[in-house]
Structure formats: structure tokens, C-alpha cells
Amino acid sequence: MKDNNEKVTVRKDTDGLDKIKRWMSEDRLLTIHSNEPNLEEIFLSLTGREL
């Protein structure tokens, strides 16, 4: 966020999208980054076991 240089995480759902739209319309966003799970995180979610 531009105001105080904080990092904000939003979920990939309509609520998260609404927040991003609002912040964009208020000119409060500085950058947007996405984060995808790595293979270890996918394996853990599917099997319940760590590598």
C-alpha cells in the first residue's frame, strides 16, 4: 500500500478482488505480486506427508 509501504495478502476470491479494485480506484496500490505453491507444498497438501 502506498500510504505506509505495508504488505497485504488477499485471498483469490471475490472479496480479495473487490479489495484490489477498491485500492486501485483509490490509487493506493504500489505493486501487485502473486505467489504460487511449490511442488513440496502441493505434495504435502495432497498426501499429508512432507518429503
Side-chain angles (χ1 to χ4, degrees):
M1 306 295 288
K2 282 185 177 180
D3 298 342
N4 55 5
N5 205 22
E6 68 181 283
K7 293 180 182 180
V8 179
T9 302
V10 296
R11 291 196 168 271
K12 188 176 178 180
D13 59 14
T14 55
D15 184 49
L17 179 61
D18 290 340
K19 287 179 183 178
I20 292 172
K21 285 180 179 179
R22 185 177 71 245
W23 295 331
M24 288 178 73
S25 70
E26 296 169 354
D27 194 32
R28 294 179 58 198
L29 285 180
L30 187 59
T31 60
I32 296 177
H33 299 274
S34 65
N35 185 21
E36 299 296 330
N38 61 33
L39 289 176
E40 184 174 359
E41 293 167 334
I42 294 169
F43 181 83
L44 179 60
S45 71
L46 291 175
T47 66
R49 299 180 305 170
E50 292 188 26
L51 293 175

